[in-house]
Amino acid sequence: MFNYLRKRFTSHIRERSRRRARLVSKDGRCNIEFGNVEQSRFVFLIDIWTTILDLRWRYKMTIFISAFLGSWFLFGLLWYVVAYIHKDLPEFNPSINHTPCVENINGLTSAFLFSLETQVTIGYGFRCVTEQCATAIFLLIFQSILGVIINSFMCGAILAKISRSKNRAKTITFSKNAVISKRGGKLCLLIRVANLRKSLLIGSHIYGKLLKTTITPEGETIILDQVNIEFVVDAGNENLFFISPLTIYHIIDKNSPFFHMAAETILQQDFELVVFLDGTVEATSATCQVRTSYIPEEVLWGYRFAPIVSKTKEGKYRVDFQNFSKTVAVETPHCAFCLYNEKEARAKEKKGFDNPAFVLSEVSETSDTKM
């Protein structure tokens, strides 16, 4: 009993470590870390727009709030300095005929409120700039222009973050597992993909990359070597009519990297199949990409997907997503090599072969019996 539990625990730890090592997670996030980058992190400030868009929401909202509060407080200090230099504050005991640069600024708090009213163009009318100071007029113009720039940039970043096509990609889902079975007389690797919205992805294109470690004839070890995997549907792999779930398949022929794998050895392989779906969002005309990956434990040999599309009595087509990732065991050759050898053997039996070296010689019967 103890040995059985130890084996189960060891296999569980090995499986978890193997799943953790995948490059692309099931939801499409890339598990990669950059180390010892020579360039300074300040280079990201050159493309500040992309940097802001890539930030997480908590950091973006922190920058959003800090930008406005910081600018309001900074200009509040400047308005206070102007009032202090011009001796408009109550502690200077200005005369009755004294005309301040800004009406009703009595301290730092009122200067901050005036800065807020100026930048967001509220304009309550209680505090206002007079003609007395050219410095105050220049500061008013400068803050108004800078406030428009901050408003445009930060509000545009929030709007762009909300409308990014990355969110549209979350409504595209792939099956939990890939399956290998016969389709159209050929051994194929099949994956199911579905669009959860009724709006289409225009010009959709689907393809795959097989990531594995290879050793070149020169002895060089290439980690994460990429091999192209062509996926097709019955109508091709481009311009998909993606309104209902589709089953895409890769034909395992002699040019496929899966050709030399078998049902008994596929779990011993070390690879990661990454599947990509590119398309244009119909509502926004923005391009998006959906990614997922499959490791050997998620490739089921000898299974096919259960049907999920049916027709109701009212004539509508119904998609049952309960069976979206459900698989059914089917009779499947245990390797592609065996399937093609079996086909060749059957073809030879039907065709037949002639032996050109065979010569039929007729023997004449003669009687040498003498009476």
Side-chain angles (χ1 to χ4, degrees), residues 44-60:
F44 293 101
L45 296 178
I46 299 175
D47 188 12
I48 186 64
W49 179 253
T50 305
T51 302
I52 293 295
L53 289 183
D54 289 339
L55 288 177
R56 296 185 178 181
W57 274 109
R58 54 179 176 267
Y59 302 124
K60 186 185 293 293

Side-chain angles (χ1 to χ4, degrees), residues 28-157:
R29 292 179 296 177
C30 295
N31 180 25
I32 191 169
E33 179 181 346
F34 297 102
N36 299 325
V37 180
E38 296 181 358
Q39 293 182 343
S40 173
R41 293 188 179 272
F42 288 103
V43 297
F44 293 101
L45 296 178
I46 299 175
D47 188 12
I48 186 64
W49 179 253
T50 305
T51 302
I52 293 295
L53 289 183
D54 289 339
L55 288 177
R56 296 185 178 181
W57 274 109
R58 54 179 176 267
Y59 302 124
K60 186 185 293 293
M61 294 307 299
T62 301
I63 294 176
F64 181 86
I65 296 172
S66 301
F68 284 101
L69 288 179
S71 62
W72 295 339
F73 184 74
L74 175 62
F75 281 99
L77 287 177
L78 294 178
W79 287 114
Y80 179 80
V81 170
V82 170
Y84 185 86
I85 294 175
H86 198 253
K87 297 182 179 182
D88 298 333
L89 301 176
E91 56 261 30
F92 293 106
N93 296 319
S95 62
I96 300 176
N97 297 326
H98 178 77
T99 303
C101 293
V102 181
E103 296 283 354
N104 300 310
I105 286 187
N106 303 318
L108 187 59
T109 303
S110 57
F112 174 79
L113 292 176
F114 179 70
S115 173
L116 172 62
E117 296 170 15
T118 301
Q119 189 163 328
V120 298
T121 64
I122 297 176
Y124 291 118
F126 183 68
R127 300 179 182 90
C128 61
V129 177
T130 63
E131 302 175 353
Q132 188 67 25
C133 299
T135 304
I137 297 174
F138 173 79
L139 186 59
L140 177 67
I141 296 173
F142 181 72
Q143 184 179 4
S144 300
I145 295 175
L146 186 62
V148 171
I149 295 175
I150 294 176
N151 268 339
S152 302
F153 185 86
M154 298 309 302
C155 295

Side-chain angles (χ1 to χ4, degrees), residues 72-314:
W72 295 339
F73 184 74
L74 175 62
F75 281 99
L77 287 177
L78 294 178
W79 287 114
Y80 179 80
V81 170
V82 170
Y84 185 86
I85 294 175
H86 198 253
K87 297 182 179 182
D88 298 333
L89 301 176
E91 56 261 30
F92 293 106
N93 296 319
S95 62
I96 300 176
N97 297 326
H98 178 77
T99 303
C101 293
V102 181
E103 296 283 354
N104 300 310
I105 286 187
N106 303 318
L108 187 59
T109 303
S110 57
F112 174 79
L113 292 176
F114 179 70
S115 173
L116 172 62
E117 296 170 15
T118 301
Q119 189 163 328
V120 298
T121 64
I122 297 176
Y124 291 118
F126 183 68
R127 300 179 182 90
C128 61
V129 177
T130 63
E131 302 175 353
Q132 188 67 25
C133 299
T135 304
I137 297 174
F138 173 79
L139 186 59
L140 177 67
I141 296 173
F142 181 72
Q143 184 179 4
S144 300
I145 295 175
L146 186 62
V148 171
I149 295 175
I150 294 176
N151 268 339
S152 302
F153 185 86
M154 298 309 302
C155 295
I158 295 295
L159 180 60
K161 181 75 171 180
I162 295 175
S163 61
R164 289 185 75 178
S165 56
K166 184 178 180 181
N167 298 325
R168 176 64 174 91
K170 294 181 180 179
T171 56
I172 305 296
T173 181
F174 288 87
S175 57
K176 182 180 179 181
N177 297 302
V179 298
I180 295 179
S181 60
K182 291 176 65 176
R183 187 184 182 97
K186 300 178 182 179
L187 192 64
C188 300
L189 183 143
L190 301 97
I191 297 173
R192 180 171 277 174
V193 58
N195 179 15
L196 302 182
R197 288 185 179 273
K198 292 185 178 181
S199 59
L200 301 179
L201 282 180
I202 304 172
S204 301
H205 173 64
I206 194 161
Y207 58 96
K209 299 285 184 182
L210 187 70
L211 309 179
K212 60 180 182 177
T213 301
T214 59
I215 300 177
T216 63
E218 294 78 16
E220 179 186 3
T221 301
I222 303 177
I223 300 178
L224 296 179
D225 186 24
Q226 301 184 15
V227 181
N228 290 327
I229 301 294
E230 295 293 335
F231 282 98
V232 296
V233 293
D234 294 334
N237 64 340
E238 293 184 357
N239 300 326
L240 306 178
F241 185 47
F242 200 16
I243 195 171
S244 63
L246 298 175
T247 300
I248 61 174
Y249 59 92
H250 163 69
I251 300 175
I252 304 178
D253 53 13
K254 295 182 179 180
N255 297 322
S256 172
F258 294 95
F259 184 76
H260 298 286
M261 300 182 189
E264 299 82 3
T265 62
I266 189 170
L267 294 179
Q268 303 172 5
Q269 304 293 325
D270 185 14
F271 67 83
E272 181 177 350
L273 175 62
V274 184
V275 184
F276 302 86
L277 174 64
D278 298 338
T280 303
V281 181
E282 186 178 26
T284 62
S285 298
T287 59
C288 71
Q289 183 182 86
V290 194
R291 298 180 295 267
T292 191
S293 68
Y294 299 92
I295 57 178
E297 289 81 3
E298 297 170 344
V299 179
L300 307 180
W301 196 295
Y303 288 83
R304 63 173 175 82
F305 290 110
I308 60 174
V309 180
S310 60
K311 197 171 184 179
T312 62
K313 295 180 179 179
E314 294 79 11

Side-chain angles (χ1 to χ4, degrees), residues 297-357:
E297 289 81 3
E298 297 170 344
V299 179
L300 307 180
W301 196 295
Y303 288 83
R304 63 173 175 82
F305 290 110
I308 60 174
V309 180
S310 60
K311 197 171 184 179
T312 62
K313 295 180 179 179
E314 294 79 11
K316 294 183 178 181
Y317 290 93
R318 183 176 183 272
V319 179
D320 185 9
F321 280 96
Q322 185 177 0
N323 296 332
F324 180 73
S325 295
K326 186 178 180 180
T327 56
V328 180
V330 292
E331 183 179 355
T332 306
H334 75 284
C335 66
F337 188 74
C338 299
L339 175 63
Y340 288 104
N341 283 349
E342 180 183 354
K343 286 185 177 181
E344 291 179 1
R346 290 179 180 177
K348 289 180 181 179
E349 290 179 359
K350 293 181 180 180
K351 184 177 180 181
F353 288 89
D354 294 330
N355 186 0

